Amino acid sequence: MLSEVFPKSTAETVLLGLWLTACDGKPLPTDLVDYTDRMLAAMRNPARWLFRNRAIRWMVHRGENRGIPGVCAHYGARKVRIQQLVDEINPAVLVVLGAGLDGLAYMQASRRTVAELDRGELQSRKRSLLAQLPAKPITFVAADLPAGDNLPRFDKPTTYVAEGVFMYLTESEVEQVLAELPSGSTLIFTFVGLDDQGHPSMSANQAKIDRMLEAMNEPFRWGIRPEQVEAFLNKNGFALASVSGVGCAEVDGMIHGEWIAHSTKR
C-alpha cells in the first residue's frame, strides 16, 4: 500500500508534503488544506488516510530526513508566503507558470481573474482531477516555458507566479521567460541556492536528491545565491522588492536552500 503513495513527479511530492504537514497538525490555511485533501481524494492516493497515522508519518519523516530535512513543512511555509504576497499586491490578474498540481489559481479564482500555464500532458491530468472538485473559472494554457506567444497577457495589472519552476530551466531559459513578461507586471518566483561547486542545491544531501530527480527526468538546472539575485534581476529589467527565506525576510518553516523573490518589471 505504501508503494502506491510514492510520488511520480515533483508536483506530487509537493502535494504529499503539504498533506503530511497538515496531518502533523502544523498551521496551514483552511483553503490550502481543503484543496490538498480534495486533490488526493480525486487521485485516490492512499496517503489521504495513511498519513493520519502517527507511525506512518514517523516513517515518512525518517525518509525525509535522509534527503532534505524539513522540506515538507517548507512546502507549506513557501505556499503561505506566496499567497500572502499575492494578497498584498492584490493584482487584477494572477497567472501561475508551470502550475503543476498547485492550488493557488484555484483558491484565488473567486478574488481575481486567474490563468495557469503548463505542459499539455501535465495540464490535461490536472484538469481531469479538478473536474472532480467544485468548478472555478480558470483559464488554462498548454505550453512549455519559455512560452513565447503562448504566454497569457492581459490589459490589467498582472502578477505572474513561478513556484518551484525556475530550478528546472537553464539560466538562458529563465532569462527568456523574464524577457517575455510584460512591462509593469509583477513576478513572484522561487529559486534554489548553489553549493560550493556552483551546483544548484537545496541540501547537504543534494547528490542523493539529484539521483531521484534524474529518475523523474526533472533535474535541477539553475540556481543562484540570495545575495546575487538583485543583480540578476536588474540585468534582466526587473526591480527586486523582497527576498523571503532564511537569512533574508525570515519565514517560519522555510529551510535554508530555497528562497522566494518578489519583483516588478520596469
Side-chain angles (χ1 to χ4, degrees):
M1 182 65 73
L2 272 176
S3 63
E4 298 177 39
V5 171
F6 293 154
K8 301 174 181 61
S9 67
T10 54
E12 288 187 15
T13 300
V14 174
L15 197 70
L16 290 170
L18 289 172
W19 187 242
L20 182 69
T21 301
C23 291
D24 281 337
K26 301 287 180 62
L28 291 175
T30 302
D31 57 352
L32 178 58
V33 175
D34 180 67
Y35 172 83
T36 306
D37 184 22
R38 288 175 181 269
M39 284 294 278
L40 289 175
M43 294 166 64
R44 294 179 172 81
N45 191 307
R48 185 169 180 249
W49 55 269
L50 282 174
F51 284 5
R52 299 178 191 274
N53 183 290
R54 183 179 298 178
I56 296 291
R57 296 201 306 274
W58 178 81
M59 287 190 290
V60 175
H61 279 302
R62 283 194 66 188
E64 176 190 41
N65 289 336
R66 290 194 291 268
I68 307 177
V71 73
C72 292
H74 167 84
Y75 292 143
R78 185 178 79 180
K79 288 191 178 297
V80 169
R81 178 57 180 154
I82 289 173
Q83 189 167 325
Q84 288 173 343
L85 287 169
V86 171
D87 288 338
E88 289 170 10
I89 297 165
N90 194 28
V93 182
L94 171 69
V95 179
V96 182
L97 303 175
L101 298 176
D102 179 72
L104 182 62
Y106 184 86
M107 293 183 291
Q108 291 275 327
S110 61
R111 308 177 203 176
R112 60 192 97 253
T113 299
V114 298
E116 288 192 4
L117 181 146
D118 208 342
R119 288 181 292 170
E121 65 274 16
L122 298 177
Q123 194 170 83
S124 177
R125 183 189 180 211
K126 183 176 184 179
R127 294 183 71 172
S128 70
L129 294 171
L130 287 178
Q132 301 177 57
L133 277 63
K136 297 284 186 75
I138 303 172
T139 298
F140 292 96
V141 178
D144 288 330
L145 288 172
D149 293 339
N150 291 316
L151 181 77
R153 294 176 175 85
F154 297 83
D155 294 327
K156 297 178 180 179
T158 302
T159 291
Y160 294 84
V161 173
E163 179 188 358
V165 173
F166 284 173
M167 66 274 277
Y168 303 112
L169 305 180
T170 64
E171 182 168 330
S172 63
E173 288 172 334
V174 172
E175 291 187 320
Q176 190 173 339
V177 173
L178 298 182
E180 291 173 354
L181 298 182
S183 297
S185 61
T186 304
L187 173 65
I188 300 168
F189 68 94
T190 66
F191 63 94
V192 300
L194 299 171
D195 63 18
D196 292 340
Q197 287 73 47
H199 180 78
S201 176
M202 281 186 71
S203 168
N205 299 321
Q206 190 62 41
K208 180 178 180 180
I209 303 304
D210 285 341
R211 290 192 292 273
M212 180 189 73
L213 293 172
E214 287 285 354
M216 294 181 178
N217 197 29
E218 297 180 351
F220 284 175
R221 292 185 169 93
W222 181 73
I224 189 169
R225 295 183 175 92
E227 62 271 20
Q228 298 171 329
V229 74
E230 182 170 17
F232 175 78
L233 286 167
N234 285 339
K235 182 181 72 169
N236 287 281
F238 282 77
L240 178 66
S242 68
V243 176
S244 302
V246 176
C248 302
E250 296 282 347
V251 176
D252 186 37
M254 284 188 67
I255 62 174
H256 186 277
E258 187 178 26
W259 293 264
I260 303 167
H262 162 209
S263 58
T264 301
K265 190 164 188 180
R266 301 187 186 93

